Amino acid sequence: MNIEYYNDRYQSNIYKGLEHCFLSSRVVEKIRHSKILLIGVGGVGSEVLKNLVFSGFVNIHLVDLDTISVSNLNRQFLFRSEDVGKYKAVVAKDRITKLCSWSHITASVENIRSRKFPLEFFKQFAAVICALDNHKARLYVNEVCAFAQVPLFETGSTGYQGQVIPILAGTTECYNCEPKPPQTEHIPVCTIRHRPETVDHCVVWATYLFEVLFGNLEDSNPLSDEKEYKVSRLSREWEPNDAGSESVTEKDWEDMTCERIMNKFFIEDLQFIESLKEDTVSSPSRMKVPSQEQLRRHLWNVEEKYSVEDLKLEEQNPHQLVWTSDKAYEVFIFCLKQLLRRWKESKSALIFDKDDTISLAFVTAASTLRAIAFDISAKNSFDVRGIAGRIIPALSTTNAVIGGIVVFQLLRFLSGTHIKDLYNARLSQVPRSRPRHSDEVIITPEVIRPPTAECVICHELLLVTCDTRKVTVRQFVEEGLKEQTKVEPFSVATDEGYIIYESEPDDEVSIESRNTDMSTFAQLQVEEQPISILDESGVHYRAWIRHQCDIPLLIERISSFMDDGCDCL
Amino acid sequence: MTSAIYDRQIRLWGLQTQSKISQSRIFLYGYHCGLLEELAKDLVLTGVGTLVIGEYSEVTETLGRQPMFVTYLGHDLEQLVEALSVLNPHAQIYTVNTFLKQHFSQLVEEQNELQRVSKLIETKTFAICCLVCERLGSPIALALDRVCRDNNTFFMYAEIAGALGFLILDLGCHYTYRQLKKISERASKTKIRSFKNDEVIDLDVNDSEEAKDDHSYSIPLEDEHTLDYPTLEQVFSCKCGLLQSSSKASLVFLAFVRKWKEEYSVTSQQDCLEERQRKFEMFLQRQKIGLRKCEMQSLYKFCSFIDVELISASSCLAGILGREIVKLISRNEKPIFNIFIFDAFSCLGSIVDIPSTLRVDRKRSRDDEVESPIYDI
């Protein structure tokens, strides 16, 4: 049986399957000629890509800027160990093309927000499938699909759970309609600084400590007023200065700095917190605050005791025993010294990287000491890595379910089902009961809801088409917004916070915004991205500016996609 | 280090379960279809230690009559095994023939394929045996289920019919599992502090919501549960028309699919949609099954895709099945009890259990072909 014959039989089975399932031969042609955009070729994306190709789709565009890592290999089956480090989109395209010679895949190693993807790019697709893993990017994709009026299939997978959500902004609820809880729960500053209750609080404190000492200190860091402990400042104190002072050796400097940091964060701070407690009627338990002598004795001999290799083994072992305080102090000092040296060599800020053994061990040690002080159960470096690195557990089986459901829903849509008549599908970890049904379910369909009234993406989108080299901000405001659209703008700004128009500019405001009046869109580089318009009555709009040569300024309100919201055959 | 590959799943079910997975031995048998490939792929990616895959030997002759499957990992079983080995070089993956030659060469002589497979199960090598797409409707599945029961092997029956997927589990009459308790509240109470040398001995398992694998030195806080699964025969002979379940119609359809395979494999009639729908009506009449009009309408539609495969539906069913297999290995969660039905059109994955009142041991009658346990296939 030669390969060619087999390929024909593959295709024939695929297309016969479609025909029989959707009772239409036109659906086959429709699917063969539809272009699909797949954003993200990770866990869910790999499954989706395979399902698309073996469901008869030919033209697929992949976008993913990520590279392959070892921990992807338990589920992203298009990648192998020798591919680690290569670009996902490129390898996925190569592998799937080998499996399916008639497919036509384009791979882009880009951020989906890139200017390489203007609105016109999205409009060429029959549908977009989003297999991303972060909220901000999903919001962007949701918005651009709304402007482009392209159906979007949102997917998500976390551990044993997952969901598929078909979206057509304005017709169905979109990703922006329901406020999503932030991915990381916001922990109050006082909890981090004075009242940690869980090990997570201790881990977060430790990562902030890392940032204080070695990183770029942001205001958002709850320890930001400890900037005198930035290593960059500490190092200046010990540098040889005016005549009279002895020069300090490297080793001495390290030792002194370690001692200073440990005294501050593991004695002084804790003593301070304890003094706060004395004023209140709170928890009576005493905190474990070490003495200076106790700290000092840990300074000896850490170099011989520990190595990066040992620490790496520990971080890979989920059953590694939680460190005793002695060990935690020692590891803390060992890592602190390694990081000090690293900082000195690089002369620039260090960023916490969960894949860097020393950084991780530092955070683990610091969080362990913190936890011990507050009588909280600490965790080992394997677990701390998961917390500090915000690792989301993932399974091939969950992705297989989600990848299957989303492609089938896409097929239903393209065969003529109205998007409203598709379902939101949820895969749950345990079976759940449903009202009015006797059986329990693991995969739950939910009827798709209409857009929420307050959603700007579903209701207040303005598509601006003009020659961006010629149209100025003033023209846009006067002729476009005020005359054409009857909108009295109060402000117009980009998502980066760049204000290009204000109806009542502050006297103190920068000169920039005054000059933007006569600038063209092209000069301000505001095309092909969403911008915010706030009008005088407080209504918030989102606008998208796209360039077309030599046409008069045109602003259209985007309303629901086609009349009946389905892609008719 | 291989645990780096499994990092994202070890964080979910722990090192102990991952270790059990790497020692597990699983047997897949049936049609070389997309469902088989997807399941094998998911198991191999998850780290299963040994996987043996067999397909019906009569396949080439009945190629014209077999359902229209969609496969992509290999043209034949040998190629499939090769492709799977690339996905996980540490797994031991065999075709049945290779496995027999290497480990049970005496069984290679067995002429009758079902006998060969049955004897392989009798060696008690495998913890789990999964039948993927019954070729004749029921007899192979029933025979395998009996052999598995007799040899303490978990049996899983997986069937796909276009946009519908079915799983029936038979884990024996005394399947036990432990449900790890959530113990976040206990965390703070189960620490022991040694004041002498500043040691903190951590006695809690974790303080997160999901029960993970326990550390060797922690207190096991488990409840043991036992389940009594019906045999496959009991499930097949259940009068599904009498079920109160919302999934009754789907189960009726499964019964029809089995009947259709049984008849179609014997006759070589050309069939069309109308012919199938007619057969379906006859089936309902003979079985004296009454259905609501809306149920009838959707089942008529289902008739059109009895013999096709849609990779998206197979992928989904394989994912569910793969998860169940991990549950059987870890014994830390309740498995599906006992039937899972997936309908891709309605995005519904529901669980039906046959109540004991409806479990009857089939009375053998003249109409029944199911007499002897050994089939000449």
Side-chain angles (χ1 to χ4, degrees):
Chain A
M1 200 195 286
N2 63 40
I3 306 258
E4 278 311 310
Y5 163 78
Y6 210 77
N7 275 342
D8 286 342
R9 199 157 70 79
Y10 269 149
Q11 274 188 293
S12 155
N13 283 0
I14 291 172
Y15 293 128
K16 272 268 176 299
L18 287 177
E19 254 187 70
H20 285 228
C21 199
F22 297 101
L23 294 171
S24 149
S25 50
R26 286 162 70 201
V27 75
V28 172
E29 287 313 300
K30 175 99 195 175
I31 280 158
R32 278 168 67 144
H33 294 110
S34 291
K35 284 176 101 169
I36 306 293
L37 174 64
L38 174 58
I39 307 175
V41 200
V44 172
S46 302
E47 290 288 326
V48 169
L49 176 59
K50 171 259 299 172
N51 289 337
L52 285 173
V53 151
F54 294 106
S55 298
F57 289 95
V58 175
N59 294 294
I60 304 167
H61 195 124
L62 309 176
V63 177
D64 194 320
L65 48 64
D66 209 3
T67 54
I68 299 163
S69 46
V70 169
S71 62
N72 295 153
L73 300 177
N74 77 323
R75 63 202 185 279
Q76 299 174 24
F77 73 99
L78 294 170
F79 311 138
R80 300 168 197 164
S81 5
E82 58 263 30
D83 298 323
V84 172
K86 297 185 193 163
Y87 288 117
K88 289 185 178 179
V90 172
V91 177
K93 172 191 164 163
D94 285 345
R95 289 279 151 67
I96 212 79
T97 308
K98 285 202 177 79
L99 291 176
C100 174
S101 53
W102 68 86
S103 60
H104 185 255
I105 317 273
T106 317
S108 296
V109 180
E110 294 285 352
N111 189 321
I112 195 64
R113 306 173 75 123
S114 154
R115 294 298 175 90
K116 293 199 175 128
F117 304 127
L119 206 61
E120 277 316 298
F121 169 77
F122 291 90
K123 279 173 173 272
Q124 65 181 302
F125 298 106
V128 173
I129 301 182
C130 188
L132 289 170
D133 58 358
N134 74 91
H135 179 60
K136 271 185 85 171
R138 281 175 166 140
L139 276 175
Y140 178 85
V141 170
N142 179 65
E143 185 160 22
V144 73
C145 287
F147 275 110
Q149 301 173 78
V150 171
L152 167 65
F153 289 80
E154 234 327 310
T155 65
S157 127
T158 309
Y160 295 114
Q161 299 167 316
Q163 72 272 347
V164 173
I165 305 190
I167 293 172
L168 190 48
T171 305
T172 70
E173 204 176 49
C174 81
Y175 189 74
N176 187 65
C177 282
E178 275 274 329
K180 308 281 183 299
Q183 274 176 314
T184 48
E185 201 191 294
H186 175 69
I187 308 171
V189 170
C190 56
T191 307
I192 304 290
R193 297 203 64 159
H194 303 141
R195 279 193 286 264
E197 284 157 16
T198 69
V199 68
D200 288 43
H201 300 155
C202 300
V203 171
V204 169
W205 176 88
T207 51
Y208 283 135
L209 177 63
F210 183 100
E211 214 175 80
V212 165
L213 298 176
F214 301 105
N216 292 313
L217 199 48
E218 317 247 324
D219 287 332
S220 58
N221 184 327
L223 305 175
S224 57
D225 52 348
E226 310 290 13
K227 37 184 165 318
E228 66 200 80
Y229 288 92
K230 273 172 78 65
V231 166
S232 49
R233 290 217 192 166
L234 290 178
S235 71
R236 278 183 246 141
E237 291 174 10
W238 305 112
E239 258 151 36
N241 48 21
D242 311 333
S245 73
E246 288 174 19
S247 62
V248 170
T249 66
E250 189 91 21
K251 184 173 183 324
D252 287 341
W253 177 74
E254 277 180 13
D255 284 347
M256 285 192 282
T257 310
C258 283
E259 202 176 327
R260 177 107 182 259
I261 289 171
M262 283 170 60
N263 280 343
K264 158 68 181 169
F265 292 104
F266 297 115
I267 298 181
E268 290 167 27
D269 271 3
L270 296 180
Q271 285 171 338
F272 174 70
I273 292 168
E274 205 161 36
S275 70
L276 291 177
K277 280 179 159 184
E278 275 159 21
D279 301 333
T280 68
V281 200
S282 60
S283 142
S285 63
R286 279 199 64 82
M287 291 180 49
K288 277 205 72 69
V289 183
S291 68
Q292 288 213 343
E293 288 74 42
Q294 280 176 306
L295 286 194
R296 221 169 270 140
R297 69 180 163 84
H298 291 300
L299 278 171
W300 312 120
N301 300 326
V302 283
E303 310 281 345
E304 289 83 50
K305 264 182 133 170
Y306 297 101
S307 70
V308 177
E309 291 73 31
D310 292 337
L311 292 172
K312 197 160 188 69
L313 283 175
E314 293 204 22
E315 95 192 16
Q316 288 170 344
N317 178 5
H319 286 174
Q320 183 61 42
L321 290 179
V322 166
W323 294 336
T324 60
S325 68
D326 279 349
K327 180 160 178 180
Y329 279 122
E330 288 170 358
V331 175
F332 182 82
I333 292 162
F334 175 74
C335 294
L336 184 51
K337 290 191 175 183
Q338 299 284 324
L339 289 167
L340 286 172
R341 286 169 209 166
R342 206 188 280 179
W343 176 84
K344 276 191 131 188
E345 258 184 56
S346 75
K347 292 181 173 39
S348 63
L350 303 179
I351 298 175
F352 174 72
D353 176 9
K354 70 179 191 302
D355 296 323
D356 172 54
T357 301
I358 295 292
S359 302
L360 178 64
F362 174 88
V363 166
T364 305
S367 64
T368 302
L369 293 169
R370 182 97 173 155
I372 289 172
F374 284 91
D375 201 28
I376 298 168
S377 303
K379 290 207 162 163
N380 64 23
S381 45
F382 180 87
D383 290 334
V384 169
R385 184 157 173 268
I387 300 169
R390 295 193 196 135
I391 292 179
I392 300 174
L395 300 174
S396 65
T397 50
T398 307
N399 292 339
V401 173
I402 298 302
I405 292 175
V406 71
V407 172
F408 194 88
Q409 293 279 288
L410 173 62
L411 289 173
R412 281 188 73 205
F413 173 72
L414 292 175
S415 71
T417 305
H418 195 297
I419 197 152
K420 293 200 315 273
D421 298 329
L422 300 178
Y423 297 103
N424 288 338
R426 276 176 213 283
L427 172 67
S428 50
Q429 180 175 356
V430 289
R432 305 154 61 199
S433 46
R434 289 168 87 201
R436 297 188 306 279
H437 289 86
S438 52
D439 303 328
E440 290 192 312
V441 293
I442 305 178
I443 301 173
T444 316
E446 288 169 7
V447 167
I448 290 179
R449 291 181 288 256
T452 55
E454 308 79 34
C455 177
V456 61
I457 307 291
C458 286
H459 299 294
E460 311 288 4
L461 294 186
L462 303 174
L463 182 60
V464 181
T465 316
C466 64
D467 189 329
T468 57
R469 302 162 302 181
K470 296 188 181 155
V471 169
T472 62
V473 170
R474 170 174 294 220
Q475 262 179 293
F476 170 62
V477 168
E478 299 299 328
E479 295 166 29
L481 291 179
K482 291 184 183 175
E483 269 182 44
Q484 268 189 53
T485 329
K486 311 283 186 262
V487 168
E488 290 287 329
F490 174 73
S491 70
V492 178
T494 68
D495 283 347
E496 281 86 48
Y498 180 41
I499 303 173
I500 58 178
Y501 170 82
E502 268 185 310
S503 63
E504 294 161 24
D506 250 328
D507 283 334
E508 287 155 19
V509 91
S510 65
I511 307 293
E512 279 170 32
S513 77
R514 299 214 192 109
N515 282 347
T516 58
D517 223 36
M518 298 312 293
S519 303
T520 64
F521 284 146
Q523 286 170 335
L524 296 175
Q525 295 188 311
V526 289
E527 312 122 278
E528 301 297 350
Q529 57 175 289
I531 57 176
S532 272
I533 300 172
L534 198 57
D535 83 2
E536 297 284 355
S537 48
V539 177
H540 177 208
Y541 297 89
R542 296 285 276 176
W544 190 287
I545 301 165
R546 59 173 178 173
H547 172 82
Q548 221 176 302
C549 289
D550 303 318
I551 67 149
L553 171 65
L554 173 65
I555 303 187
E556 300 160 88
R557 276 182 193 270
I558 305 231
S559 54
S560 279
F561 187 20
M562 302 165 185
D563 294 331
D564 44 3
C566 72
D567 218 1
C568 296
L569 289 173
Chain B
M1 203 173 147
T2 50
S3 69
I5 295 177
Y6 301 119
D7 182 274
R8 298 299 188 265
Q9 59 197 46
I10 289 172
R11 285 176 194 279
L12 214 45
W13 56 52
L15 202 52
Q16 210 172 54
T17 296
Q18 188 61 43
S19 176
K20 287 182 191 169
I21 290 169
S22 70
Q23 288 157 28
S24 62
R25 281 177 254 126
I26 299 173
F27 178 42
L28 306 184
Y29 179 66
Y31 269 125
H32 177 181
C33 56
L35 178 59
L36 180 79
E37 289 197 343
E38 292 287 348
L39 178 59
K41 162 177 82 54
D42 288 339
L43 293 176
V44 156
L45 286 173
T46 304
V48 157
T50 306
L51 190 63
V52 175
I53 308 176
E55 69 172 333
Y56 303 123
S57 55
E58 308 272 307
V59 158
T60 44
E61 281 176 33
T62 57
L63 202 57
R65 285 205 293 265
Q66 82 177 31
M68 287 177 268
F69 296 129
V70 176
T71 57
Y72 60 92
L73 285 178
H75 298 138
D76 55 34
L77 227 47
E78 276 73 29
Q79 278 207 359
L80 172 61
V81 165
E82 228 181 88
L84 293 171
S85 305
V86 168
L87 285 185
N88 183 352
H90 298 281
Q92 309 220 39
I93 311 170
Y94 306 89
T95 62
V96 162
N97 293 334
T98 317
F99 187 73
L100 286 177
K101 280 196 199 112
Q102 281 190 26
H103 295 97
F104 298 103
S105 48
Q106 72 279 18
L107 294 181
V108 181
E109 301 309 313
E110 205 60 58
Q111 295 290 20
N112 176 302
E113 181 181 286
L114 185 54
Q115 283 215 331
R116 206 160 46 234
V117 167
S118 302
K119 294 227 161 108
L120 179 56
I121 293 171
E122 280 167 15
T123 63
K124 298 194 184 3
T125 308
F126 305 102
I128 298 164
C129 166
C130 185
L131 178 69
V132 178
C133 295
E134 157 75 73
R135 191 162 73 86
L136 299 172
S138 313
I140 302 170
L142 291 171
L144 284 184
D145 180 49
R146 274 196 281 271
V147 170
C148 284
R149 270 247 174 181
D150 292 342
N151 291 282
N152 295 319
T153 306
F154 299 135
F155 179 73
M156 305 172 96
Y157 162 98
E159 189 63 71
I160 199 91
L164 287 181
F166 301 90
L167 292 180
I168 304 178
L169 270 56
D170 180 5
L171 310 183
C173 56
H174 195 79
Y175 178 83
T176 57
Y177 66 96
R178 298 163 307 167
Q179 193 96 52
L180 292 184
K181 272 210 168 90
K182 294 179 199 176
I183 56 162
S184 40
E185 326 86 73
R186 295 171 193 253
S188 51
K189 297 173 194 149
T190 53
K191 285 200 318 291
I192 290 176
R193 173 161 254 144
S194 161
F195 291 96
K196 236 190 343 186
N197 54 4
D198 235 310
E199 237 181 73
V200 176
I201 304 166
D202 208 333
L203 280 186
D204 78 307
V205 172
N206 59 64
D207 48 27
S208 70
E209 285 218 342
E210 315 217 289
K212 285 190 257 179
D213 214 30
D214 38 36
H215 294 235
S216 54
Y217 57 94
S218 65
I219 302 170
L221 297 160
E222 306 146 5
D223 279 347
E224 190 171 272
H225 302 268
T226 308
L227 294 171
D228 172 15
Y229 279 79
T231 63
L232 195 65
E233 192 170 352
Q234 286 174 321
V235 173
F236 281 174
S237 50
C238 162
K239 304 235 177 286
C240 37
L242 297 179
L243 283 175
Q244 291 302 315
S245 154
S246 339
S247 315
K248 177 173 94 175
S250 305
L251 286 174
V252 165
F253 194 73
L254 176 61
F256 171 63
V257 168
R258 289 195 339 259
K259 193 75 185 158
W260 186 81
K261 283 194 186 194
E262 202 178 298
E263 288 188 9
Y264 191 55
S265 67
V266 171
T267 67
S268 54
Q269 251 179 316
Q270 278 292 78
D271 81 323
C272 60
L273 181 57
E274 287 74 25
E275 182 58 32
R276 292 181 191 180
Q277 289 170 336
R278 199 181 61 81
K279 286 205 172 97
F280 179 58
E281 272 184 45
M282 275 172 49
F283 170 80
L284 291 177
Q285 281 169 13
R286 242 189 286 135
Q287 302 285 326
K288 300 194 181 58
I289 295 174
L291 293 172
R292 296 203 307 267
K293 193 168 167 206
C294 56
E295 287 170 333
M296 288 291 293
Q297 279 177 348
S298 57
L299 294 191
Y300 271 137
K301 202 176 66 166
F302 291 172
C303 286
S304 66
F305 51 70
I306 289 177
D307 61 345
V308 298
E309 180 170 30
L310 296 163
I311 201 72
S312 48
S314 294
S315 177
C316 187
L317 190 70
I320 298 288
L321 185 41
R323 163 127 159 84
E324 289 308 299
I325 287 175
V326 173
K327 284 186 192 173
L328 303 195
I329 294 170
S330 75
R331 301 277 212 150
N332 282 343
E333 289 182 86
K334 181 181 177 188
I336 283 169
F337 184 85
N338 68 306
I339 303 174
F340 173 79
I341 301 169
F342 175 60
D343 175 353
F345 272 104
S346 61
C347 266
L348 181 61
S350 44
I351 298 178
V352 182
D353 91 69
I354 305 293
S356 48
T357 47
L358 286 180
R359 292 191 206 176
V360 284
D361 279 310
R362 218 141 72 113
K363 291 193 188 84
R364 305 259 160 96
S365 71
R366 248 187 317 136
D367 295 333
D368 287 353
E369 307 287 313
V370 189
E371 206 69 47
S372 79
I374 294 170
Y375 285 88
D376 215 357
I377 57 167

